[in-house]
Amino acid sequence: MCRIERWSTRTLQERIDSMLYERTAISHKPEEVIRHELSALRVQDQLTPELVFRDPYVLDFLGLKDRYLEKDLEDAILRELEAFLLELGAGFAFVARQRHIQIDNDDFYIDLLFYHRSLHRLIAIDLKLGNFKAEYKGQMGLYLRWLDKYERQQGEDSPLGIILCAGKKQEQIELLELNLSGIHVAEYLTELPSREMLVEKLHRAIKVARARLEAYNN
């Protein structure tokens, strides 16, 4: 990734300090999947969504306090767009805010729409307060199918979605098989936790995810 994204030594150290690897979706996979993904990256210089998407996203730079609305979160992201793009990772380009779509005369709005240059995909982001809810899958799925039908251009792959929530329950996400729908669910942190707490949280999540994946495969 350092070679592909042309990181400086300083940037590489910052990525390591922010626990970038532990926060990518690939770190939650079984060891053989990780080895396959990293081998493909070395040989083909090709990034996958698992290497690009993170969990959690640390949004402490937004300056949000204990109480805020979804609009406050969205406004803060747009106000600090450069810092938000750095947290998303290299390759993301901002496309639209509150992208209006109309289906059967009903109006819908995609909170944030990005394009990823290496993945060659549109990335829709839905911002949610509180914990993830199962019904969010249907909403994001609708957005992605509309984007695939009306906005996807020649040479692009199918759009992907990120649902950003203040919290989530892993088993619900696994049962919904969101990964098969091109939907990634991630937590966001508006305050930077201590490194020890972040390490413990990430390692616990990875351990649980791998154990469930192995049980499912068996």
Side-chain angles (χ1 to χ4, degrees):
M1 290 182 72
C2 183
R3 183 182 69 254
I4 295 170
E5 299 185 351
R6 302 179 184 277
W7 291 340
S8 65
T9 304
R10 180 179 178 180
T11 301
L12 174 60
Q13 188 60 55
E14 289 174 350
R15 298 293 188 267
I16 294 171
D17 291 342
S18 71
M19 301 187 69
L20 174 63
Y21 173 75
E22 289 84 353
R23 293 193 293 127
T24 56
I26 193 178
S27 67
H28 295 230
K29 304 292 184 179
E31 292 295 335
E32 61 270 21
V33 176
I34 293 176
R35 285 195 294 270
H36 179 268
E37 292 279 347
L38 295 181
S39 176
L41 176 64
R42 284 193 297 269
V43 174
Q44 304 173 18
D45 282 356
Q46 184 174 356
L47 292 174
T48 62
E50 286 74 16
L51 285 163
V52 170
F53 291 162
R54 303 177 185 178
D55 183 25
Y57 288 91
V58 181
L59 308 182
D60 57 311
F61 52 84
L62 297 181
L64 294 170
K65 303 304 180 184
D66 292 338
R67 294 184 178 181
Y68 53 87
L69 304 174
E70 286 181 8
K71 186 179 184 302
D72 299 327
L73 177 60
E74 183 181 318
D75 287 343
I77 287 174
L78 269 294
R79 188 172 60 249
E80 302 292 343
L81 184 58
E82 182 179 0
F84 184 67
L85 285 170
L86 288 174
E87 175 59 15
L88 285 179
F92 281 88
F94 177 69
V95 176
R97 171 191 190 182
Q98 289 295 309
R99 176 68 167 86
H100 174 243
I101 65 177
Q102 192 173 62
I103 304 172
D104 293 330
N105 295 321
D106 291 328
D107 295 314
F108 300 89
Y109 296 88
I110 302 173
D111 289 336
L112 299 168
L113 187 62
F114 292 84
Y115 181 79
H116 196 279
R117 295 176 62 192
S118 297
L119 297 178
H120 307 292
R121 300 172 186 258
L122 286 168
I123 311 290
I125 297 182
D126 210 9
L127 305 173
K128 299 295 184 184
L129 301 183
N131 291 329
F132 171 81
K133 296 180 181 178
E135 57 262 33
Y136 296 163
K137 175 187 178 182
Q139 183 181 33
M140 178 58 79
L142 187 66
Y143 294 165
L144 295 182
R145 285 189 285 273
W146 188 92
L147 290 170
D148 191 63
K149 183 176 181 179
Y150 295 107
E151 292 291 324
R152 178 181 173 187
Q153 296 184 6
Q154 186 175 1
E156 294 180 355
D157 292 322
S158 298
L160 299 174
I162 301 175
I163 301 175
L164 274 179
C165 304
K168 64 177 186 176
K169 296 179 180 178
Q170 192 63 36
E171 189 171 7
Q172 284 188 25
I173 294 169
E174 291 171 5
L175 290 173
L176 288 169
E177 297 184 327
L178 293 177
N179 58 315
L180 301 179
S181 305
I183 300 172
H184 175 65
V185 179
E187 293 180 277
Y188 61 84
L189 305 175
T190 56
E191 294 183 4
L192 185 64
S194 67
R195 183 176 178 84
E196 292 75 17
M197 183 181 297
L198 184 58
V199 168
E200 192 276 333
K201 179 183 178 68
L202 288 168
H203 285 184
R204 185 174 66 247
I206 290 170
K207 183 178 180 181
V208 170
R210 287 182 179 170
R212 286 178 174 160
L213 279 168
E214 290 171 3
Y216 177 80
N217 292 331
N218 291 333

